[in-house]
Amino acid sequence: MDRLSGVACRKMSENLHVVDWPNRPIRATLGNPALVRVHLKSNRLIARQQLRFVARNLVATWSYGIVSDSAWHETPYGPVCKAMLEGQPLFLSFSYSGDFGWIGFFIDRAVGIDALYHQLFAELESVTHLYFSPSQAKAVLDAENPSYAFAQAWTAREARLKLYGRNLSEFPDLPSDGLGLCEYRLDHCGTVVTLVTDYPFILIR
């Protein structure tokens, strides 16, 4: 069990492959997420619209064009898709890191995703103490590569916040990782990407 994030089930990069838009990933299937990276425009509003366009385009392709506008709605934690693929609900989550946006798709389980380019920054120690428990902060700061350990811990935490529909806060009281939770982690061109899934019936939406 990972001491930073308490993962009940860890699946590393061989289970999580990146497809760069406009290339199209193999459709998400039960137990296998799809992950798309999109090069974004500099304007944040345009970038948000761009990610939503890509997501809708992919879902329409996977469902053979049968996706109504009512299948999409916005929440404070990102867009929610109520599309069905072969009788199963499709879930998605967005993240931004630098010039890129990331979209994670999963069937039959809600999903949270976060991406962060790992690099040292002046406030790393203070931010670590502010947003992590004492044991987590110690693990990050004592690591051989603190910036990389921070990116792993931060993305795991942010992905869970999105999964459970909660806002960023200091020392968040997140539900304990259940036996159904899986974490997928990928190191891609200096960016740590963490995707977390859980069974829908225990989620708060």
Side-chain angles (χ1 to χ4, degrees):
M1 182 171 290
D2 187 279
R3 63 175 177 169
L4 294 181
S5 52
V7 178
C9 173
R10 166 65 54 77
K11 297 188 177 183
M12 299 305 288
S13 59
E14 61 268 19
N15 299 94
L16 189 58
H17 299 286
V18 177
V19 172
D20 282 300
W21 176 263
N23 297 315
R24 296 174 183 272
I26 298 174
R27 194 192 70 181
T29 58
L30 282 172
N32 294 291
L35 179 63
V36 180
R37 188 178 77 155
V38 183
H39 192 274
L40 299 174
K41 306 295 184 182
S42 57
N43 181 283
R44 185 58 179 253
L45 178 60
I46 295 176
R48 283 171 54 84
Q49 295 171 343
Q50 188 179 353
L51 275 192
R52 282 151 178 76
F53 168 81
V54 171
R56 290 176 69 101
N57 187 291
L58 287 171
V59 174
T61 299
W62 291 336
S63 58
Y64 307 103
I66 308 172
V67 180
S68 67
D69 289 339
S70 62
W72 298 81
H73 71 274
E74 294 289 335
T75 76
Y77 321 104
V80 172
C81 173
K82 294 185 177 180
M84 304 287 285
L85 294 183
E86 297 185 0
Q88 301 291 340
L90 176 68
F91 296 89
L92 55 81
S93 183
F94 292 174
S95 184
Y96 302 86
S97 179
D99 295 330
F100 294 95
W102 301 79
I103 313 172
F105 298 89
F106 213 95
I107 291 180
D108 196 39
R109 293 190 186 188
V111 61
I113 188 173
D114 196 59
L116 181 66
Y117 184 79
H118 62 86
Q119 59 184 344
L120 285 172
F121 58 97
E123 300 83 7
L124 187 147
E125 183 172 353
S126 61
V127 171
T128 299
H129 284 299
L130 186 62
Y131 286 100
F132 293 104
S133 69
S135 61
Q136 290 174 322
K138 186 177 188 305
V140 168
L141 298 174
D142 289 348
E144 182 177 352
N145 186 340
S147 64
Y148 179 66
F150 177 87
Q152 289 183 313
W154 184 268
T155 57
R157 179 178 178 279
E158 284 286 277
R160 282 162 174 74
L161 287 170
K162 294 176 183 179
L163 178 73
Y164 293 107
R166 299 195 179 186
N167 291 319
L168 178 65
S169 62
E170 299 172 18
F171 306 124
D173 181 20
L174 288 173
S176 298
D177 289 345
L179 292 178
L181 185 145
C182 284
E183 177 183 287
Y184 299 76
R185 178 174 293 158
L186 177 77
D187 301 337
H188 185 74
C189 299
T191 296
V192 174
V193 183
T194 301
L195 184 149
V196 179
T197 68
D198 209 337
Y199 289 109
F201 64 82
I202 67 169
L203 297 181
I204 301 171
R205 283 286 180 188

